[in-house]
Amino acid sequence: CPLGPALLFVKTSQGKEKGRRFYACSACRDRKDCNFFQWEDEKVSETRLAAREEYNRNHQPRFTHRQNVERYKNFVRLPLPKRRFCQECQQLLLPAEWEKHLDHQFLCDISTAQLKCPSQLLYPLENKKTNAQYLFAGRSCQFLVDLITDLGFQRVLSVGTPRLHEMIQLKASQEEDFRVRSLLLDIDFRYSQFYTEDEFCHYNMFNHYFFGGEAARETCRKFLSQDNGERVIMVTDPPFGGLVEALASSFKKLMAMREETEKEGYNNQEMPMFWIFPYFFESRILEFFPTFTMMDYQVDYDNHALYKHGKTGRRQSPVRIFTNLTPSMIVLPVEEGYRFCAVCQRYVSSGNQHCEICDSCTSKDGRQWKHCVLCNKCVKPSWFHCNNCNCCALPDHTCERTEAGCFVCGKAGHKRVTCPSLSRT
């Protein structure tokens, strides 16, 4: 499809052990955004293949990355009054193109400072199922840059983190002693208007697809290769509605690209990584990356109504940093309410109290959790032990173990999902 190779899914029916497998778009979970669908065992006619190829061609960007780089060079040569940006087309305009955009809203007098901060010039793509372009707030972005610098990394592979890439580029152009470099991999091709082919690669993180082909792949491989002892780290902030399994597969392939390019003499350690994702995905991430640890730092976003810093209780941002670095190395700001736990050997939020029974700082959401002796683990403060369910839950929850048993057949010992009667229904 226009977003590269499709992924293979399985459609299961209730009561049937074996489902039917099909291909669908890797990035768009909503058919309205991409209607690509094909059964795995389906024979596709030549006519349909030709129509698909034509559709894909028609849905490619108007300009190539190289053309956009040339356009940018021409744009910066223009005097300030002739620099325009079309807000409807999300495109830098050259004077010869003004007439075609007369009916559109556009910004005038685009300064050099604005060109160096494209994430503030472009509209964020906020489709939760596809792009979910929530941009780091200045506080979180500055924290990440400072942390990367303090840890001694000179190169950052920014996967879906345009604002982090932007801040690194800006600091590198303003501060002579700032030696960190960044390469942005992102599905949003609009950034190709502002960055060269060595600074940006059009990339789909759900299927590890480089739209620029082998040349873009080589750019990434070259960036990841060891050069003068410089250390590299990958920082990624995927859409929260994305499939963890698909993301993990792509990230492992990026790690493998770095391992392929390593020279002899390096210890082939896993590439350092910050995966920024909500804390409730912890078990899924650890399933694919068992060496990872979740840090307590709350990442917040400028254009997200809920994920803001400074909120209390359940209104705090649930977004955390998952990393394969030693937890004690990640120093969190004390002035923001983080402290070092000597037992766990990591920084935790002030409300995350160490549980002597669990022998760990157990809170995930920033509040102080309580230990349940019957569950033999710490639970959220608002939860209580339910003898009917034999586990902790909210007071007003619906018990799974009701006297009626299964909702389908009424018998006890199984849930409705695994009810044998479903196959006869």
Side-chain angles (χ1 to χ4, degrees), residues 291-335:
T291 59
F292 277 34
T293 306
M294 186 182 81
M295 309 309 299
D296 273 22
Y297 184 80
Q298 295 181 14
V299 180
D300 55 313
Y301 298 81
D302 269 349
N303 57 323
H304 197 291
L306 296 178
Y307 300 171
K308 298 280 188 184
H309 178 61
K311 296 195 175 195
T312 56
R314 295 184 67 189
R315 307 303 293 177
Q316 297 177 78
S317 171
V319 186
R320 302 289 184 268
I321 298 172
F322 293 85
T323 182
N324 51 1
L325 293 172
T326 307
S328 59
M329 296 168 62
I330 314 297
V331 180
L332 304 186
V334 177
E335 64 274 11

mmCIF file of all heavy atoms in Angstrom, residues 291-335:
data_model
loop_
_atom_site.group_PDB
_atom_site.id
_atom_site.type_symbol
_atom_site.label_atom_id
_atom_site.label_comp_id
_atom_site.label_asym_id
_atom_site.label_seq_id
_atom_site.Cartn_x
_atom_site.Cartn_y
_atom_site.Cartn_z
ATOM 1 N N THR A 291 15.389 -7.160 28.809
ATOM 2 C CA THR A 291 16.468 -6.419 29.486
ATOM 3 C C THR A 291 16.044 -4.983 29.839
ATOM 4 O O THR A 291 16.805 -4.254 30.471
ATOM 5 C CB THR A 291 17.724 -6.357 28.594
ATOM 6 O OG1 THR A 291 17.380 -5.697 27.356
ATOM 7 C CG2 THR A 291 18.270 -7.745 28.297
ATOM 8 N N PHE A 292 14.842 -4.576 29.420
ATOM 9 C CA PHE A 292 14.404 -3.201 29.636
ATOM 10 C C PHE A 292 13.883 -2.977 31.059
ATOM 11 O O PHE A 292 13.393 -3.892 31.705
ATOM 12 C CB PHE A 292 13.306 -2.828 28.639
ATOM 13 C CG PHE A 292 13.828 -2.391 27.291
ATOM 14 C CD1 PHE A 292 14.980 -2.956 26.761
ATOM 15 C CD2 PHE A 292 13.172 -1.438 26.541
ATOM 16 C CE1 PHE A 292 15.467 -2.565 25.521
ATOM 17 C CE2 PHE A 292 13.637 -1.035 25.309
ATOM 18 C CZ PHE A 292 14.791 -1.601 24.799
ATOM 19 N N THR A 293 13.984 -1.742 31.510
ATOM 20 C CA THR A 293 13.436 -1.310 32.797
ATOM 21 C C THR A 293 12.614 -0.048 32.552
ATOM 22 O O THR A 293 12.992 0.799 31.741
ATOM 23 C CB THR A 293 14.556 -0.976 33.804
ATOM 24 O OG1 THR A 293 15.437 -2.099 33.909
ATOM 25 C CG2 THR A 293 13.981 -0.658 35.182
ATOM 26 N N MET A 294 11.493 0.058 33.269
ATOM 27 C CA MET A 294 10.668 1.263 33.144
ATOM 28 C C MET A 294 11.084 2.280 34.194
ATOM 29 O O MET A 294 11.135 1.977 35.381
ATOM 30 C CB MET A 294 9.184 0.919 33.325
ATOM 31 C CG MET A 294 8.262 2.095 33.055
ATOM 32 S SD MET A 294 6.524 1.712 33.318
ATOM 33 C CE MET A 294 6.411 1.891 35.100
ATOM 34 N N MET A 295 11.388 3.494 33.743
ATOM 35 C CA MET A 295 11.748 4.572 34.645
ATOM 36 C C MET A 295 10.493 5.333 35.084
ATOM 37 O O MET A 295 9.478 5.300 34.394
ATOM 38 C CB MET A 295 12.740 5.530 33.973
ATOM 39 C CG MET A 295 13.964 4.853 33.353
ATOM 40 S SD MET A 295 14.812 3.720 34.480
ATOM 41 C CE MET A 295 15.299 4.835 35.797
ATOM 42 N N ASP A 296 10.590 6.046 36.204
ATOM 43 C CA ASP A 296 9.433 6.762 36.757
ATOM 44 C C ASP A 296 9.194 8.129 36.111
ATOM 45 O O ASP A 296 8.159 8.757 36.363
ATOM 46 C CB ASP A 296 9.611 6.968 38.273
ATOM 47 C CG ASP A 296 9.101 5.769 39.065
ATOM 48 O OD1 ASP A 296 9.013 4.667 38.479
ATOM 49 O OD2 ASP A 296 8.798 5.923 40.261
ATOM 50 N N TYR A 297 10.124 8.607 35.303
ATOM 51 C CA TYR A 297 9.998 9.955 34.745
ATOM 52 C C TYR A 297 8.727 10.078 33.895
ATOM 53 O O TYR A 297 8.479 9.263 33.010
ATOM 54 C CB TYR A 297 11.221 10.306 33.887
ATOM 55 C CG TYR A 297 11.183 11.723 33.368
ATOM 56 C CD1 TYR A 297 11.544 12.794 34.174
ATOM 57 C CD2 TYR A 297 10.747 11.996 32.072
ATOM 58 C CE1 TYR A 297 11.494 14.102 33.705
ATOM 59 C CE2 TYR A 297 10.700 13.295 31.591
ATOM 60 C CZ TYR A 297 11.068 14.346 32.415
ATOM 61 O OH TYR A 297 11.003 15.634 31.942
ATOM 62 N N GLN A 298 7.926 11.114 34.176
ATOM 63 C CA GLN A 298 6.689 11.354 33.437
ATOM 64 C C GLN A 298 6.963 12.258 32.234
ATOM 65 O O GLN A 298 7.319 13.417 32.392
ATOM 66 C CB GLN A 298 5.651 12.001 34.348
ATOM 67 C CG GLN A 298 5.191 11.105 35.482
ATOM 68 C CD GLN A 298 4.143 11.786 36.350
ATOM 69 O OE1 GLN A 298 3.574 12.800 35.982
ATOM 70 N NE2 GLN A 298 3.900 11.216 37.521
ATOM 71 N N VAL A 299 6.779 11.692 31.052
ATOM 72 C CA VAL A 299 6.972 12.452 29.811
ATOM 73 C C VAL A 299 5.661 13.164 29.481
ATOM 74 O O VAL A 299 4.588 12.552 29.515
ATOM 75 C CB VAL A 299 7.373 11.518 28.651
ATOM 76 C CG1 VAL A 299 7.569 12.305 27.364
ATOM 77 C CG2 VAL A 299 8.634 10.745 29.012
ATOM 78 N N ASP A 300 5.728 14.458 29.188
ATOM 79 C CA ASP A 300 4.512 15.197 28.868
ATOM 80 C C ASP A 300 4.615 15.835 27.486
ATOM 81 O O ASP A 300 5.700 15.969 26.914
ATOM 82 C CB ASP A 300 4.190 16.238 29.941
ATOM 83 C CG ASP A 300 5.342 17.190 30.189
ATOM 84 O OD1 ASP A 300 6.469 16.717 30.326
ATOM 85 O OD2 ASP A 300 5.122 18.411 30.248
ATOM 86 N N TYR A 301 3.444 16.223 26.973
ATOM 87 C CA TYR A 301 3.328 16.686 25.589
ATOM 88 C C TYR A 301 2.620 18.038 25.519
ATOM 89 O O TYR A 301 1.711 18.311 26.299
ATOM 90 C CB TYR A 301 2.548 15.650 24.752
ATOM 91 C CG TYR A 301 3.235 14.313 24.697
ATOM 92 C CD1 TYR A 301 3.121 13.400 25.745
ATOM 93 C CD2 TYR A 301 4.019 13.961 23.614
ATOM 94 C CE1 TYR A 301 3.765 12.173 25.711
ATOM 95 C CE2 TYR A 301 4.666 12.737 23.563
ATOM 96 C CZ TYR A 301 4.538 11.845 24.617
ATOM 97 O OH TYR A 301 5.171 10.643 24.578
ATOM 98 N N ASP A 302 3.027 18.839 24.548
ATOM 99 C CA ASP A 302 2.432 20.171 24.363
ATOM 100 C C ASP A 302 0.988 20.100 23.895
ATOM 101 O O ASP A 302 0.137 20.841 24.362
ATOM 102 C CB ASP A 302 3.241 20.972 23.329
ATOM 103 C CG ASP A 302 4.333 21.800 23.994
ATOM 104 O OD1 ASP A 302 4.314 21.914 25.235
ATOM 105 O OD2 ASP A 302 5.193 22.327 23.280
ATOM 106 N N ASN A 303 0.717 19.216 22.930
ATOM 107 C CA ASN A 303 -0.586 19.209 22.269
ATOM 108 C C ASN A 303 -1.464 18.038 22.681
ATOM 109 O O ASN A 303 -2.280 17.547 21.912
ATOM 110 C CB ASN A 303 -0.414 19.209 20.744
ATOM 111 C CG ASN A 303 0.414 18.028 20.259
ATOM 112 O OD1 ASN A 303 1.370 17.620 20.905
ATOM 113 N ND2 ASN A 303 0.044 17.472 19.119
ATOM 114 N N HIS A 304 -1.297 17.557 23.919
ATOM 115 C CA HIS A 304 -2.165 16.498 24.441
ATOM 116 C C HIS A 304 -2.877 17.027 25.678
ATOM 117 O O HIS A 304 -2.237 17.528 26.605
ATOM 118 C CB HIS A 304 -1.366 15.236 24.783
ATOM 119 C CG HIS A 304 -2.234 14.020 24.916
ATOM 120 N ND1 HIS A 304 -3.118 13.848 25.951
ATOM 121 C CD2 HIS A 304 -2.375 12.927 24.133
ATOM 122 C CE1 HIS A 304 -3.758 12.691 25.802
ATOM 123 N NE2 HIS A 304 -3.324 12.121 24.706
ATOM 124 N N ALA A 305 -4.204 16.912 25.680
ATOM 125 C CA ALA A 305 -5.008 17.503 26.758
ATOM 126 C C ALA A 305 -4.734 16.871 28.122
ATOM 127 O O ALA A 305 -4.823 17.540 29.152
ATOM 128 C CB ALA A 305 -6.490 17.357 26.411
ATOM 129 N N LEU A 306 -4.379 15.596 28.152
ATOM 130 C CA LEU A 306 -4.220 14.893 29.433
ATOM 131 C C LEU A 306 -2.772 14.737 29.860
ATOM 132 O O LEU A 306 -2.464 14.768 31.049
ATOM 133 C CB LEU A 306 -4.870 13.500 29.348
ATOM 134 C CG LEU A 306 -6.386 13.471 29.138
ATOM 135 C CD1 LEU A 306 -6.869 12.036 29.032
ATOM 136 C CD2 LEU A 306 -7.117 14.174 30.276
ATOM 137 N N TYR A 307 -1.871 14.536 28.902
ATOM 138 C CA TYR A 307 -0.492 14.205 29.252
ATOM 139 C C TYR A 307 0.319 15.467 29.540
ATOM 140 O O TYR A 307 1.177 15.864 28.774
ATOM 141 C CB TYR A 307 0.163 13.382 28.144
ATOM 142 C CG TYR A 307 -0.556 12.061 27.885
ATOM 143 C CD1 TYR A 307 -0.224 11.274 26.789
ATOM 144 C CD2 TYR A 307 -1.571 11.609 28.727
ATOM 145 C CE1 TYR A 307 -0.879 10.072 26.545
ATOM 146 C CE2 TYR A 307 -2.222 10.420 28.487
ATOM 147 C CZ TYR A 307 -1.879 9.656 27.399
ATOM 148 O OH TYR A 307 -2.520 8.476 27.152
ATOM 149 N N LYS A 308 -0.009 16.098 30.653
ATOM 150 C CA LYS A 308 0.657 17.335 31.055
ATOM 151 C C LYS A 308 1.352 17.146 32.395
ATOM 152 O O LYS A 308 0.866 16.426 33.261
ATOM 153 C CB LYS A 308 -0.368 18.472 31.193
ATOM 154 C CG LYS A 308 -1.103 18.808 29.897
ATOM 155 C CD LYS A 308 -0.260 19.668 28.989
ATOM 156 C CE LYS A 308 -1.076 20.155 27.796
ATOM 157 N NZ LYS A 308 -0.288 20.913 26.853
ATOM 158 N N HIS A 309 2.465 17.829 32.566
ATOM 159 C CA HIS A 309 3.218 17.752 33.814
ATOM 160 C C HIS A 309 2.525 18.564 34.911
ATOM 161 O O HIS A 309 1.881 19.569 34.639
ATOM 162 C CB HIS A 309 4.629 18.303 33.599
ATOM 163 C CG HIS A 309 5.464 18.306 34.842
ATOM 164 N ND1 HIS A 309 5.773 17.160 35.524
ATOM 165 C CD2 HIS A 309 6.030 19.320 35.535
ATOM 166 C CE1 HIS A 309 6.519 17.464 36.563
ATOM 167 N NE2 HIS A 309 6.681 18.767 36.597
ATOM 168 N N GLY A 310 2.688 18.107 36.158
ATOM 169 C CA GLY A 310 2.192 18.874 37.299
ATOM 170 C C GLY A 310 0.812 18.459 37.767
ATOM 171 O O GLY A 310 0.329 18.930 38.785
ATOM 172 N N LYS A 311 0.152 17.546 37.031
ATOM 173 C CA LYS A 311 -1.161 17.095 37.465
ATOM 174 C C LYS A 311 -0.989 16.082 38.593
ATOM 175 O O LYS A 311 0.075 15.493 38.769
ATOM 176 C CB LYS A 311 -1.916 16.466 36.297
ATOM 177 C CG LYS A 311 -2.198 17.474 35.178
ATOM 178 C CD LYS A 311 -3.228 16.941 34.226
ATOM 179 C CE LYS A 311 -3.579 18.000 33.195
ATOM 180 N NZ LYS A 311 -4.787 17.703 32.462
ATOM 181 N N THR A 312 -2.042 15.873 39.356
ATOM 182 C CA THR A 312 -1.955 14.952 40.495
ATOM 183 C C THR A 312 -2.916 13.793 40.310
ATOM 184 O O THR A 312 -3.808 13.826 39.461
ATOM 185 C CB THR A 312 -2.303 15.692 41.804
ATOM 186 O OG1 THR A 312 -3.611 16.287 41.655
ATOM 187 C CG2 THR A 312 -1.293 16.779 42.095
ATOM 188 N N GLY A 313 -2.727 12.758 41.154
ATOM 189 C CA GLY A 313 -3.610 11.596 41.117
ATOM 190 C C GLY A 313 -3.570 10.890 39.788
ATOM 191 O O GLY A 313 -2.526 10.733 39.169
ATOM 192 N N ARG A 314 -4.728 10.489 39.300
ATOM 193 C CA ARG A 314 -4.803 9.737 38.042
ATOM 194 C C ARG A 314 -4.688 10.645 36.825
ATOM 195 O O ARG A 314 -4.703 10.170 35.699
ATOM 196 C CB ARG A 314 -6.128 8.975 37.993
ATOM 197 C CG ARG A 314 -6.238 7.906 39.077
ATOM 198 C CD ARG A 314 -7.510 7.113 38.940
ATOM 199 N NE ARG A 314 -7.498 6.323 37.728
ATOM 200 C CZ ARG A 314 -8.567 5.664 37.276
ATOM 201 N NH1 ARG A 314 -9.690 5.725 37.920
ATOM 202 N NH2 ARG A 314 -8.497 4.961 36.156
ATOM 203 N N ARG A 315 -4.607 11.953 37.032
ATOM 204 C CA ARG A 315 -4.521 12.871 35.906
ATOM 205 C C ARG A 315 -3.086 13.090 35.439
ATOM 206 O O ARG A 315 -2.840 13.832 34.515
ATOM 207 C CB ARG A 315 -5.140 14.225 36.283
ATOM 208 C CG ARG A 315 -6.544 14.147 36.846
ATOM 209 C CD ARG A 315 -7.507 13.477 35.917
ATOM 210 N NE ARG A 315 -7.772 14.228 34.713
ATOM 211 C CZ ARG A 315 -8.540 13.814 33.714
ATOM 212 N NH1 ARG A 315 -9.093 12.609 33.769
ATOM 213 N NH2 ARG A 315 -8.739 14.562 32.653
ATOM 214 N N GLN A 316 -2.144 12.452 36.108
ATOM 215 C CA GLN A 316 -0.744 12.605 35.702
ATOM 216 C C GLN A 316 -0.506 11.885 34.373
ATOM 217 O O GLN A 316 -1.240 10.977 34.017
ATOM 218 C CB GLN A 316 0.166 12.011 36.771
ATOM 219 C CG GLN A 316 0.071 12.724 38.117
ATOM 220 C CD GLN A 316 0.949 12.051 39.149
ATOM 221 O OE1 GLN A 316 2.151 12.234 39.154
ATOM 222 N NE2 GLN A 316 0.356 11.266 40.006
ATOM 223 N N SER A 317 0.538 12.291 33.684
ATOM 224 C CA SER A 317 0.875 11.637 32.422
ATOM 225 C C SER A 317 1.289 10.186 32.688
ATOM 226 O O SER A 317 2.126 9.920 33.543
ATOM 227 C CB SER A 317 2.032 12.376 31.738
ATOM 228 O OG SER A 317 2.483 11.637 30.626
ATOM 229 N N PRO A 318 0.717 9.225 31.936
ATOM 230 C CA PRO A 318 1.084 7.819 32.116
ATOM 231 C C PRO A 318 2.291 7.409 31.271
ATOM 232 O O PRO A 318 2.675 6.237 31.262
ATOM 233 C CB PRO A 318 -0.170 7.078 31.655
ATOM 234 C CG PRO A 318 -0.708 7.961 30.577
ATOM 235 C CD PRO A 318 -0.372 9.384 30.958
ATOM 236 N N VAL A 319 2.881 8.362 30.555
ATOM 237 C CA VAL A 319 3.958 8.029 29.602
ATOM 238 C C VAL A 319 5.298 7.964 30.327
ATOM 239 O O VAL A 319 5.645 8.863 31.089
ATOM 240 C CB VAL A 319 4.005 9.052 28.455
ATOM 241 C CG1 VAL A 319 5.009 8.618 27.398
ATOM 242 C CG2 VAL A 319 2.619 9.224 27.836
ATOM 243 N N ARG A 320 6.033 6.893 30.079
ATOM 244 C CA ARG A 320 7.301 6.638 30.771
ATOM 245 C C ARG A 320 8.420 6.343 29.766
ATOM 246 O O ARG A 320 8.177 6.200 28.571
ATOM 247 C CB ARG A 320 7.158 5.435 31.723
ATOM 248 C CG ARG A 320 6.068 5.588 32.784
ATOM 249 C CD ARG A 320 6.438 6.612 33.830
ATOM 250 N NE ARG A 320 5.434 6.689 34.884
ATOM 251 C CZ ARG A 320 4.406 7.518 34.891
ATOM 252 N NH1 ARG A 320 4.232 8.346 33.877
ATOM 253 N NH2 ARG A 320 3.550 7.526 35.891
ATOM 254 N N ILE A 321 9.629 6.205 30.300
ATOM 255 C CA ILE A 321 10.793 5.851 29.480
ATOM 256 C C ILE A 321 11.186 4.414 29.806
ATOM 257 O O ILE A 321 11.454 4.081 30.964
ATOM 258 C CB ILE A 321 11.990 6.780 29.760
ATOM 259 C CG1 ILE A 321 11.639 8.233 29.413
ATOM 260 C CG2 ILE A 321 13.220 6.339 28.969
ATOM 261 C CD1 ILE A 321 12.696 9.236 29.842
ATOM 262 N N PHE A 322 11.202 3.561 28.797
ATOM 263 C CA PHE A 322 11.684 2.186 28.942
ATOM 264 C C PHE A 322 13.092 2.151 28.345
ATOM 265 O O PHE A 322 13.315 2.633 27.234
ATOM 266 C CB PHE A 322 10.770 1.208 28.202
ATOM 267 C CG PHE A 322 9.387 1.098 28.789
ATOM 268 C CD1 PHE A 322 8.391 1.998 28.423
ATOM 269 C CD2 PHE A 322 9.076 0.113 29.708
ATOM 270 C CE1 PHE A 322 7.111 1.917 28.963
ATOM 271 C CE2 PHE A 322 7.798 0.013 30.251
ATOM 272 C CZ PHE A 322 6.821 0.924 29.875
ATOM 273 N N THR A 323 14.023 1.572 29.076
ATOM 274 C CA THR A 323 15.414 1.592 28.595
ATOM 275 C C THR A 323 16.160 0.312 28.973
ATOM 276 O O THR A 323 15.817 -0.364 29.946
ATOM 277 C CB THR A 323 16.160 2.813 29.172
ATOM 278 O OG1 THR A 323 17.486 2.843 28.650
ATOM 279 C CG2 THR A 323 16.221 2.776 30.693
ATOM 280 N N ASN A 324 17.189 -0.003 28.169
ATOM 281 C CA ASN A 324 18.062 -1.134 28.466
ATOM 282 C C ASN A 324 19.352 -0.680 29.138
ATOM 283 O O ASN A 324 20.269 -1.481 29.353
ATOM 284 C CB ASN A 324 18.381 -1.928 27.193
ATOM 285 C CG ASN A 324 18.878 -1.033 26.063
ATOM 286 O OD1 ASN A 324 19.002 0.181 26.219
ATOM 287 N ND2 ASN A 324 19.175 -1.632 24.922
ATOM 288 N N LEU A 325 19.435 0.620 29.479
ATOM 289 C CA LEU A 325 20.589 1.120 30.227
ATOM 290 C C LEU A 325 20.424 0.784 31.709
ATOM 291 O O LEU A 325 19.307 0.566 32.181
ATOM 292 C CB LEU A 325 20.721 2.638 30.063
ATOM 293 C CG LEU A 325 21.070 3.150 28.662
ATOM 294 C CD1 LEU A 325 20.976 4.671 28.615
ATOM 295 C CD2 LEU A 325 22.465 2.703 28.253
ATOM 296 N N THR A 326 21.525 0.757 32.440
ATOM 297 C CA THR A 326 21.467 0.488 33.877
ATOM 298 C C THR A 326 20.640 1.581 34.549
ATOM 299 O O THR A 326 20.948 2.772 34.401
ATOM 300 C CB THR A 326 22.885 0.462 34.481
ATOM 301 O OG1 THR A 326 23.677 -0.457 33.730
ATOM 302 C CG2 THR A 326 22.851 0.060 35.941
ATOM 303 N N PRO A 327 19.563 1.226 35.295
ATOM 304 C CA PRO A 327 18.663 2.227 35.879
ATOM 305 C C PRO A 327 19.353 3.292 36.719
ATOM 306 O O PRO A 327 18.953 4.457 36.698
ATOM 307 C CB PRO A 327 17.712 1.382 36.738
ATOM 308 C CG PRO A 327 17.702 0.046 36.075
ATOM 309 C CD PRO A 327 19.097 -0.143 35.545
ATOM 310 N N SER A 328 20.405 2.917 37.439
ATOM 311 C CA SER A 328 21.080 3.879 38.314
ATOM 312 C C SER A 328 21.757 4.997 37.515
ATOM 313 O O SER A 328 22.055 6.065 38.055
ATOM 314 C CB SER A 328 22.126 3.173 39.189
ATOM 315 O OG SER A 328 23.085 2.518 38.375
ATOM 316 N N MET A 329 21.969 4.772 36.210
ATOM 317 C CA MET A 329 22.603 5.782 35.357
ATOM 318 C C MET A 329 21.630 6.905 34.989
ATOM 319 O O MET A 329 22.043 8.002 34.629
ATOM 320 C CB MET A 329 23.136 5.138 34.071
ATOM 321 C CG MET A 329 24.246 4.124 34.289
ATOM 322 S SD MET A 329 24.582 3.172 32.781
ATOM 323 C CE MET A 329 25.103 4.473 31.661
ATOM 324 N N ILE A 330 20.330 6.611 35.051
ATOM 325 C CA ILE A 330 19.312 7.577 34.629
ATOM 326 C C ILE A 330 18.968 8.475 35.819
ATOM 327 O O ILE A 330 18.171 8.111 36.688
ATOM 328 C CB ILE A 330 18.039 6.877 34.115
ATOM 329 C CG1 ILE A 330 18.395 5.735 33.150
ATOM 330 C CG2 ILE A 330 17.102 7.891 33.477
ATOM 331 C CD1 ILE A 330 19.091 6.155 31.891
ATOM 332 N N VAL A 331 19.575 9.646 35.856
ATOM 333 C CA VAL A 331 19.357 10.589 36.962
ATOM 334 C C VAL A 331 18.138 11.445 36.656
ATOM 335 O O VAL A 331 18.107 12.164 35.648
ATOM 336 C CB VAL A 331 20.605 11.483 37.182
ATOM 337 C CG1 VAL A 331 20.374 12.458 38.330
ATOM 338 C CG2 VAL A 331 21.833 10.618 37.457
ATOM 339 N N LEU A 332 17.124 11.376 37.529
ATOM 340 C CA LEU A 332 15.907 12.157 37.353
ATOM 341 C C LEU A 332 15.962 13.422 38.204
ATOM 342 O O LEU A 332 16.543 13.414 39.294
ATOM 343 C CB LEU A 332 14.671 11.322 37.723
ATOM 344 C CG LEU A 332 14.503 9.981 36.984
ATOM 345 C CD1 LEU A 332 13.178 9.337 37.344
ATOM 346 C CD2 LEU A 332 14.602 10.171 35.465
ATOM 347 N N PRO A 333 15.376 14.525 37.737
ATOM 348 C CA PRO A 333 15.478 15.813 38.438
ATOM 349 C C PRO A 333 14.816 15.825 39.815
ATOM 350 O O PRO A 333 13.604 15.609 39.916
ATOM 351 C CB PRO A 333 14.785 16.793 37.485
ATOM 352 C CG PRO A 333 13.940 15.957 36.594
ATOM 353 C CD PRO A 333 14.603 14.634 36.483
ATOM 354 N N VAL A 334 15.609 16.081 40.841
ATOM 355 C CA VAL A 334 15.120 16.124 42.223
ATOM 356 C C VAL A 334 14.114 17.259 42.404
ATOM 357 O O VAL A 334 13.118 17.124 43.125
ATOM 358 C CB VAL A 334 16.303 16.295 43.207
ATOM 359 C CG1 VAL A 334 15.809 16.418 44.648
ATOM 360 C CG2 VAL A 334 17.263 15.115 43.082
ATOM 361 N N GLU A 335 14.349 18.382 41.705
ATOM 362 C CA GLU A 335 13.459 19.543 41.834
ATOM 363 C C GLU A 335 12.053 19.264 41.306
ATOM 364 O O GLU A 335 11.107 19.993 41.601
ATOM 365 C CB GLU A 335 14.052 20.761 41.111
ATOM 366 C CG GLU A 335 14.197 20.649 39.611
ATOM 367 C CD GLU A 335 15.505 19.979 39.179
ATOM 368 O OE1 GLU A 335 16.206 19.411 40.048
ATOM 369 O OE2 GLU A 335 15.838 20.035 37.976
#
